C-alpha cells in the first residue's frame, strides 16, 4: 500500500470493514484526448510509447475495480482511428491528418486491450465541435473545406451548424462508420451539444431561415432543441440497425432545468442547464427510449448550496424511465489544497458512492478523468481497491436491448486446482459467451448467487488455476456461469468441489 496522508489513513482504516457491494454496477473512467488531457500524454509520442501508456492506464483502472472505459475518439471533427470521413487528430501526432508511424489503429488497440481485461469500451464523440480554436490549422482533407457552409464560428471556436440536415447526416455517417468497423460496446456523447452560451448570439440565422420547419422566430429555442432531438433519434436508429447490442449513452451537464424555470426541474440554482442553454432535452431522450443510459455529470460536493450532489442524484433517479442511470463523479476536484472544504476531505467521493448505492434506480458511476488517479486523491485509490470496489462487478444488463440468457457451459474439466471449460456455440452475437463468473463458497456454507460476496472472479479466460486459500486445504464449491455481452447470465453449473 502506498504512503497515505494521516487523514486518509484514518478514513481507510475506518472503512476497511468492507461494505456490501452490488453484484451489478457500472464502474467507468473517462479518458479524454482533447488537448491531451489524459492520453496520449503529449502529441507526437512514438507508437510504442502510446501503446505503453494505454496498457498502463488500463492496468491501473483494472486494479481499481473498473469495468468500463469511456474513450474520447472524436474530440473535434477528427479521429483517433482510421477514417475516410475525418482526419487523424492533431492530439495524436501533433499534425492533423498525420497517421501514427509506425502505423497502428489506436481505437482498435484500445478495444482489444479493454476486452482482454473484461472491460467495456465506450467510444466518446463530440457531435458539433470542429476546432478548439478557429485559427487551428485544419487538414486539407477536412470536411470544413468541402462544405464551409456547414461551419459556424462562435467565440474562438468552430462548430457544425446543428440546424442543417446535412450536418446531422454527416455526424450520423461518422457514428455508423465506427459502429460498422469497430467492436465498440457503446457510443457515448457528453454535455456539448449547442455550445455553452456566450454574450454573442449563436449565428444560426441562415439555417433557421432555410429549415425552420414552421417554428416562429420567438420559438427558436424550441427549434434548436428539436434539431438535437432529431440527431439523437437518428443516431440511435442507425446504431441499432447496424449492431443492436451497441449501447447509446449521453453524459449531460448535471442540471436539466432549475425548478424556478420549470416545476419538473430540480431545486437548484444552476447558471446553465441542458434544456435552456445547451438545447438538450435529455430526459425526453431517456423517456422516449432513444438512449440506453444517462450519465449526468454531478461534479459538485454533497451539500453544495446551489447544486447539491445528493439532491441531484435523487432528482435524476426519478427520470430513469426504465433505462439505465449512472452518475458522473469528480476526482479532479479532490485535493488537500482545495479552497472548498468538502474536497479536502478524503471521504467525499466514498460518501457519494454510498449515496448512489442507496438509490436502486442508479446503477453505478463514472469518474472524470483518468489522469487524476495517477496522483494523490487522499486515499481514494486504496478505498476503491480495498473496500468499495474490492469485489468485481458485472456491468448492469439492459433487458430492453436483450433479455435472453446465454446457454450454460457444456463441459467442465477439473484436474486438481486447474479447471477448463467449454461454452455452447452460438451464431447470434448477443447469445455468444462473452465472459464467465466464477462463484466460490466454503462447502457447507449457504450460497447466494445474487450476492457479490461469492464472486471469486469475472474472467474472459476459459481456464483457471486456483491459488491456495489456506494451509488446511478446505473444501470449496465452485460454480461457473456464462455472461453474454449485454450481461445476461446463464444458469450456473452444478457445484464442483475443489480443495484450496
Amino acid at each position: 500500500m502506498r504512503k497515505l496522508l494521516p487523514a486518509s489513513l484514518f478514513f481507510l482504516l475506518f472503512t476497511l470493514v468492507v461494505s456490501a457491494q452490488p453484484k451489478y454496477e457500472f464502474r467507468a473512467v473517462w479518458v479524454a484526448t482533447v488537448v491531451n488531457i489524459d492520453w496520449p500524454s503529449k502529441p507526437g509520442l512514438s507508437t510504442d510509447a502510446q501503446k505503453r501508456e494505454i496498457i498502463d492506464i488500463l492496468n491501473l483502472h483494472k486494479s481499481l475495480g473498473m469495468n468500463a472505459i469511456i474513450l474520447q475518439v472524436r474530440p473535434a471533427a477528427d479521429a483517433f482511428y482510421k477514417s475516410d470521413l475525418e482526419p487523424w487528430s492533431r492530439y495524436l501526432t501533433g499534425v492533423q491528418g498525420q497517421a501514427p508511424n509506425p502505423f497502428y489503429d489506436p481505437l482498435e488497440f484500445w478495444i482489444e486491450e479493454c476486452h482482454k481485461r473484461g472491460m467495456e469500451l465506450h467510444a466518446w464523440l463530440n457531435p458539433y465541435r470542429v476546432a478548439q480554436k478557429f485559427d487551428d490549422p485544419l487538414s486539407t482533407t477536412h470536411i470544413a473545406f468541402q462544405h464551409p457552409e456547414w461551419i459556424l464560428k462562435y467565440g474562438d471556436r468552430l462548430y457544425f451548424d446543428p440546424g442543417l440536415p446535412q450536418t446531422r447526416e454527416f455526424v450520423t455517417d461518422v457514428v455508423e462508420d465506427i459502429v460498422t468497423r469497430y467492436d465498440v460496446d457503446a457510443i457515448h456523447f457528453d454535455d456539448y451539444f449547442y455550445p455553452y452560451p456566450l454574450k454573442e448570439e449563436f449565428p444560426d440565422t441562415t439555417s433557421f431561415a432555410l429549415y425552420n420547419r414552421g417554428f416562429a422566430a420567438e420559438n427558436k429555442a424550441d427549434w434548436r432543441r428539436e434539431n438535437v432531438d432529431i440527431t439523437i433519434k437518428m443516431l440511435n436508429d442507425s446504431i441499432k440497425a447496424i449492431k443492436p447490442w451497441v449501447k447509446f449513452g449521453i453524459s449531460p451537464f448535471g442540471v436539466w432545468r432549475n425548478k424556478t424555470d420549470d416545476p419538473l426541474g430540480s431545486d437548484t440554482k444552476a447558471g446553465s442547464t441542458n434544456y435552456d442553454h445547451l438545447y438538450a432535452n435529455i430526459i425526453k431522450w431517456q423517456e422516449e427510449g432513444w438512449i440506453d443510459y444517462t450519465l449526468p455529470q454531478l461534479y459538485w460536493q454533497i451539500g453544495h448550496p446551489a447544486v447539491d450532489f445528493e439532491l441531484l442524484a435523487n432528482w435524476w433517479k426519478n427520470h430513469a424511465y426504465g433505462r439505465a442511470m449512472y452518475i458522473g463523479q469528480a476526482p479532479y476536484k479532490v485535493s488537500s489544497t482545495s479552497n472548498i472544504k468538502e474536497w479536502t476531505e478524503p471521504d467525499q467521493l466514498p460518501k457519494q458512492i454510498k449515496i448512489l448505492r442507496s438509490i436502486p434506480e442508479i446503477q453505478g458511476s463514472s469518474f472524470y478523468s483518468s489522469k487524476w488517479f495517477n496522483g494523490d486523491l487522499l486515499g481514494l485509490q486504496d478505498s476503491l481497491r480495498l473496500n468499495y470496489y474490492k469485489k468485481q462487478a458485472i456491468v448492469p444488463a439492459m433487458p430492453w436491448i436483450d433479455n435472453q440468457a446465454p446457454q450454460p457451459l457444456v463441459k467442465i474439466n477439473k484436474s486438481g486446482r486447474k479447471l477448463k471449460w467449454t461454452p455452447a456455440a452460438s451464431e447470434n452475437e448477443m447469445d455468444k459467451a462473452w465472459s464467465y463468473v466464477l462463484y466460490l463458497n466454503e462447502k457447507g456454507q449457504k450460497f447466494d448467487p445474487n450476492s457479490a460476496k461469492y464472486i471469486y472472479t469475472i474472467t474472459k479466460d476459459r481456464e483457471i488455476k486456483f491459488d491456495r486459500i489456506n494451509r488446511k486445504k478446505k473444501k470449496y464449491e465452485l460454480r461457473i456461469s456464462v455472461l453474454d455481452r449485454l450481461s445476461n447470465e446463464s444458469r450456473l453449473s452444478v457445484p464442483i468441489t475443489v480443495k484450496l
Side-chain angles (χ1 to χ4, degrees):
M1 185 187 301
R2 63 183 176 81
K3 187 175 180 181
L4 299 171
L5 294 172
S8 56
L9 176 60
F10 171 81
F11 175 69
L12 179 59
L13 292 174
F14 179 75
T15 59
L16 273 181
V17 177
V18 179
S19 54
Q21 296 178 47
K23 178 178 173 178
Y24 294 91
E25 188 170 50
F26 186 69
R27 301 173 180 174
V29 177
W30 279 284
V31 177
T33 58
V34 67
V35 297
N36 300 98
I37 289 173
D38 292 310
W39 178 84
S41 57
K42 61 181 180 181
L45 291 178
S46 69
T47 292
D48 285 344
Q50 289 178 17
K51 287 183 174 181
R52 281 196 301 271
E53 288 191 349
I54 294 170
I55 296 299
D56 289 345
I57 289 169
L58 291 177
N59 285 345
L60 169 64
H61 295 307
K62 180 66 176 178
S63 77
L64 295 175
M66 306 299 176
N67 55 25
I69 293 292
I70 303 173
L71 175 68
Q72 192 172 32
V73 301
R74 184 193 188 245
D78 53 5
F80 274 80
Y81 56 94
K82 190 177 186 305
S83 171
D84 293 330
L85 298 174
E86 295 185 307
W88 287 100
S89 176
R90 73 180 72 252
Y91 306 120
L92 188 66
T93 60
V95 178
Q96 191 176 78
Q98 182 175 300
N101 185 24
F103 179 80
Y104 84 115
D105 189 314
L107 177 54
E108 188 174 78
F109 188 78
W110 272 97
I111 292 169
E112 288 174 358
E113 294 298 323
C114 275
H115 287 175
K116 275 183 196 175
R117 292 163 178 79
M119 304 170 80
E120 291 192 345
L121 189 288
H122 294 216
W124 165 19
L125 296 83
N126 186 283
Y128 301 131
R129 187 166 59 212
V130 173
Q132 283 287 87
K133 295 180 181 179
F134 72 91
D135 56 355
D136 278 345
L138 300 178
S139 167
T140 55
T141 62
H142 200 287
I143 193 71
F145 293 120
Q146 300 172 44
H147 292 284
E149 72 279 9
W150 293 2
I151 311 301
L152 300 176
K153 179 179 176 292
Y154 186 54
D156 291 333
R157 296 180 177 179
L158 298 180
Y159 298 91
F160 288 114
D161 184 346
L164 296 174
Q166 298 93 324
T167 64
R168 295 193 289 268
E169 291 285 353
F170 181 72
V171 171
T172 303
D173 288 345
V174 169
V175 171
E176 287 180 346
D177 179 51
I178 292 173
V179 173
T180 299
R181 294 192 296 115
Y182 294 92
D183 191 20
V184 296
D185 299 286
I187 294 294
H188 178 97
F189 282 5
D190 56 20
D191 51 320
Y192 293 101
F193 290 97
Y194 276 81
Y196 283 87
L198 306 173
K199 290 182 180 179
E200 63 191 89
E201 177 70 12
F202 189 72
D204 55 359
T205 304
T206 300
S207 57
F208 181 73
L210 290 172
Y211 302 106
N212 59 57
R213 298 185 302 278
F215 280 92
E218 59 269 24
N219 296 327
K220 193 174 188 180
D222 293 327
W223 171 76
R224 288 174 175 166
R225 274 185 286 275
E226 188 173 89
N227 289 334
V228 185
D229 289 348
I230 293 168
T231 300
I232 296 299
K233 187 175 187 306
M234 281 176 63
L235 289 169
N236 184 61
D237 289 348
S238 298
I239 292 165
K240 296 302 190 286
I242 298 166
K243 290 179 180 174
W245 58 88
V246 173
K247 307 166 189 176
F248 184 27
I250 308 287
S251 178
F253 179 71
V255 177
W256 174 70
R257 298 194 86 185
N258 295 312
K259 186 178 278 189
T260 51
D261 297 314
D262 190 321
L264 294 178
S266 52
D267 191 10
T268 48
K269 299 178 179 65
S272 298
T273 68
N274 288 288
Y275 185 94
D276 298 288
H277 302 95
L278 306 179
Y279 306 101
N281 192 2
I282 178 72
I283 65 172
K284 175 181 179 180
W285 311 337
Q286 187 94 337
E287 189 171 19
E288 293 287 344
W290 296 344
I291 57 178
D292 298 301
Y293 69 82
T294 300
L295 177 47
Q297 300 166 22
L298 303 194
Y299 295 160
W300 304 288
Q301 71 269 27
I302 300 165
H304 190 294
V307 276
D308 173 37
F309 178 92
E310 186 168 10
L311 180 152
L312 279 164
N314 279 288
W315 185 89
W316 282 101
K317 80 172 185 186
N318 295 322
H319 299 282
Y321 303 115
R323 296 294 170 105
M325 181 67 67
Y326 313 132
I327 297 296
Q329 295 183 266
Y332 74 92
K333 288 191 171 180
V334 173
S335 172
S336 59
T337 60
S338 173
N339 59 6
I340 299 173
K341 176 178 177 291
E342 289 85 351
W343 292 113
T344 68
E345 298 169 347
D347 65 342
Q348 177 61 211
L349 289 181
K351 284 199 301 191
Q352 291 184 6
I353 292 172
K354 287 183 180 179
I355 288 170
L356 300 181
R357 285 180 172 175
S358 73
I359 303 172
E361 294 86 355
I362 294 174
Q363 298 176 291
S365 65
S366 185
F367 296 96
Y368 187 85
S369 65
S370 176
K371 72 174 182 180
W372 300 96
F373 287 91
N374 296 318
D376 179 19
L377 293 177
L378 306 182
L380 176 66
Q381 294 94 325
D382 292 309
S383 291
L384 295 178
R385 187 184 290 115
L386 301 174
N387 185 0
Y388 294 93
Y389 289 1
K390 184 174 183 178
K391 287 287 188 179
Q392 290 175 269
I394 301 169
V395 173
M398 294 190 170
W400 54 91
I401 298 178
D402 174 37
N403 63 1
Q404 184 69 42
Q407 291 297 308
L409 295 177
V410 295
K411 188 178 182 182
I412 302 176
N413 293 324
K414 175 177 171 285
S415 176
R417 289 183 285 124
K418 292 182 181 179
L419 283 95
K420 292 185 178 182
W421 52 88
T422 306
S426 176
E427 295 299 317
N428 186 336
E429 181 66 28
M430 289 194 283
D431 292 335
K432 291 178 180 177
W434 186 249
S435 59
Y436 308 92
V437 187
L438 278 61
Y439 299 89
L440 199 66
N441 64 285
E442 194 172 329
K443 196 168 178 67
Q445 182 186 51
K446 185 177 179 182
F447 168 70
D448 180 4
N450 297 311
S451 172
K453 173 183 176 181
Y454 298 102
I455 293 178
Y456 179 78
T457 190
I458 303 169
T459 180
K460 296 284 286 184
D461 296 332
R462 295 184 182 183
E463 60 182 71
I464 190 169
K465 181 179 180 180
F466 285 97
D467 295 325
R468 289 279 183 214
I469 292 177
N470 55 61
R471 294 179 181 176
K472 295 182 179 179
K473 296 184 181 179
K474 285 186 178 179
K475 290 182 178 180
Y476 292 85
E477 289 182 336
L478 171 74
R479 297 167 174 86
I480 306 176
S481 67
V482 179
L483 295 176
D484 64 22
R485 66 184 304 152
L486 283 160
S487 298
N488 295 299
E489 187 173 19
S490 75
R491 213 169 53 243
L492 274 64
S493 66
V494 296
I496 297 169
T497 300
V498 290
K499 288 183 180 181
L500 303 175

